[in-house]
Amino acid sequence: MPDRRSLQKQKKKKKKKRLIAWILTPILVLALGATTYGAYLYNQAKEVVNDSYKPVDRTSAKRMEDVTPKVDNVSILFIGVDASMTRGQNGARSDALLLATFNQKAKSVKLLSIPRDSYVYIPSEGKQDKITHAHANGGVASTIETVEGFLDVPVDYYVKVNFEAFVDIVDALGGIKADVPYTLTEQNSNDQQGAITLQKGMQQLNGEQALALARTRHYDNDIERGKRQQEILEAIMNKALSAKSFTKYSDLMKAVGKNMETDLTFDQMKSFFNYAAAGPNLDIQSLTLKGSDLYLSNGVNNIYYYQLDEANLSEIKATLKTQLGLADSSDSSQTDVGTTGSDGTTVGSNNTDSAAGVTDSGSN
């Protein structure tokens, strides 16, 4: 028969087991709940991507063989289009272009913002024009072809998102923190002039406010706007990857699903998880295309363009090729930055350009 001391030890063990059970039970419930919710999110994400999957019929002259993001260095062109309810999809310009290049071994990402007024050769038009008009006149295929042409690197995949998605994504995350460089007044996503006013300084922004900050360029220039867009994208990514945002993923995917088109499959998208898993070891670098203001007459108005700096463009090309692990090749004979037009005329002379029939002196 056990003595009194043994009985006390047994009681303590039982109490300890019950205590451990009480501690572990809610943790297990939460873990199981998270796993169940995770499975739900997984299936929802798969459905969203499948619904957004829209491959483009094109052939890249810059990529001779198939690649997969799981093992290869690849590039994705992010296209932000000005296709709000008031403007519609037809003729929508690309208001933001961001080329992301991924290097598997280095676990690095280089983000190149392409100014919307960049004066480049657009193959589908057969002439020099603003790069924003490539999408307006030829859609995604024309935009990709143009970017590949003047950067001399392959565009492996694309993701197109419109302004409504941007607003919904930020709102689904509960807003983002951003540094507003100066007090500004801007239109909203429905083109209502003066609808958004932001004060200078670091602050919490909702979707409409974040969009106003991303769009504005009347207070500085297209290059600074590109930098702001990169900063806002980074803020969105950081907020989305935070633990606090886990329960918001369902709303986030709904926001994306309604307003996204891509030629990435769900399995291909999953391949990019290893970049996110790199955490603080992930090297993200922002690149900027330098240039200068250029005005050309179309016979009626002086049209504004952004003339890319040739020396800087050559450096950017070399950086992107190194990032993608491509052997450096001589630049194509095609005119890239607008030094000469398709008719042989020199940019900066008194030649005329119809700018795709659009007079755009800097409006959104």
Side-chain angles (χ1 to χ4, degrees):
M1 189 171 179
D3 58 19
R4 186 175 179 183
R5 185 175 293 180
S6 297
L7 289 172
Q8 286 178 339
K9 285 183 178 180
Q10 288 177 5
K11 286 182 179 179
K12 284 183 179 180
K13 285 183 179 180
K14 287 182 180 179
K15 285 183 179 179
K16 191 174 182 180
K17 286 180 180 179
R18 284 199 297 267
L19 180 61
I20 293 173
W22 277 108
I23 293 173
L24 289 179
T25 298
I27 293 176
L28 288 171
V29 169
L30 287 173
L32 288 170
T35 303
T36 303
Y37 185 57
Y40 165 73
L41 289 177
Y42 181 91
N43 291 329
Q44 187 179 16
K46 187 174 183 179
E47 184 178 343
V48 165
V49 174
N50 289 341
D51 290 344
S52 302
Y53 183 66
K54 288 183 174 55
V56 176
D57 185 15
R58 66 185 183 94
T59 301
S60 174
K62 305 297 180 182
R63 186 71 83 178
M64 297 297 104
E65 53 190 34
D66 292 338
V67 292
T68 173
K70 190 172 185 178
V71 296
D72 297 311
N73 304 323
V74 298
S75 65
I76 301 177
L77 181 63
F78 292 90
I79 307 172
V81 296
D82 194 354
S84 61
M85 291 178 64
T86 55
R87 299 192 182 193
Q89 289 285 346
N90 295 330
R93 299 170 183 170
S94 56
D95 207 61
L97 285 174
L98 191 70
L99 182 67
T101 51
F102 298 81
N103 186 284
Q104 269 284 354
K105 185 177 180 179
K107 284 299 177 286
S108 64
V109 183
K110 295 194 186 298
L111 301 173
L112 175 65
S113 179
I114 304 172
R116 55 168 275 169
D117 292 328
S118 297
Y119 193 58
V120 297
Y121 181 75
I122 299 180
S124 64
E125 293 185 15
K127 65 174 183 178
Q128 303 287 128
D129 202 350
K130 295 183 180 186
I131 196 168
T132 187
H133 293 147
H135 188 276
N137 297 320
V140 171
S142 176
T143 303
I144 292 174
E145 186 180 27
T146 301
V147 171
E148 285 189 333
F150 88 90
L151 288 179
D152 196 28
V153 293
V155 173
D156 298 306
Y157 306 100
Y158 84 93
V159 175
K160 185 171 84 169
V161 182
N162 69 36
F163 280 161
E164 290 180 21
F166 185 94
V167 173
D168 291 344
I169 288 169
V170 174
D171 285 339
L173 288 171
I176 59 170
K177 285 187 177 180
D179 188 15
V180 180
Y182 40 71
T183 299
L184 63 91
T185 299
E186 187 59 66
Q187 64 187 28
N188 61 16
S189 59
N190 292 320
D191 297 340
Q192 182 182 351
Q193 297 294 330
I196 306 294
T197 297
L198 299 177
Q199 301 300 317
K200 180 180 178 180
M202 181 67 72
Q203 56 200 279
Q204 184 81 3
L205 304 179
N206 62 27
E208 284 285 356
Q209 292 169 331
L211 177 60
L213 180 60
R215 294 176 78 178
T216 193
R217 60 177 176 155
H218 299 300
Y219 299 85
D220 40 38
N221 54 53
D222 222 10
I223 290 298
E224 293 303 315
R225 182 169 78 158
K227 292 178 182 178
R228 282 193 294 275
Q229 290 172 348
Q230 290 174 336
E231 291 170 358
I232 291 171
L233 180 61
E234 188 172 347
I236 291 173
M237 290 171 61
N238 289 336
K239 186 70 177 286
L241 292 173
S242 69
K244 292 180 180 178
S245 296
F246 182 68
T247 58
K248 300 175 182 177
Y249 283 0
S250 181
D251 291 337
L252 186 61
M253 283 186 286
K254 289 177 184 176
V256 172
K258 294 186 300 182
N259 301 284
M260 182 179 76
E261 293 179 8
T262 182
D263 59 352
L264 281 162
T265 66
F266 184 64
D267 286 339
Q268 288 170 335
M269 280 196 178
K270 288 192 298 180
S271 300
F272 290 97
F273 288 172
N274 56 34
Y275 287 93
N281 295 321
L282 180 62
D283 178 23
I284 301 178
Q285 180 185 5
S286 296
L287 306 175
T288 302
L289 284 167
K290 296 179 181 178
S292 57
D293 296 339
L294 173 69
Y295 291 89
L296 296 176
S297 173
N298 65 355
V300 179
N301 299 293
N302 284 326
I303 311 300
Y304 172 78
Y305 300 92
Y306 185 69
Q307 177 72 65
L308 299 178
D309 180 82
E310 292 186 63
N312 171 254
L313 180 59
S314 294
E315 292 175 3
I316 293 293
K317 287 180 181 179
T319 298
L320 295 179
K321 288 176 182 177
T322 300
Q323 174 74 353
L324 292 173
L326 301 175
D328 193 14
S329 60
S330 58
D331 291 340
S332 61
S333 58
Q334 154 187 298
T335 302
D336 289 333
V337 297
T339 303
T340 57
S342 59
D343 58 356
T345 56
T346 301
V347 170
S349 65
N350 294 324
N351 67 317
T352 61
D353 195 302
S354 63
V358 179
T359 300
D360 187 347
S361 59
S363 65
N364 281 317

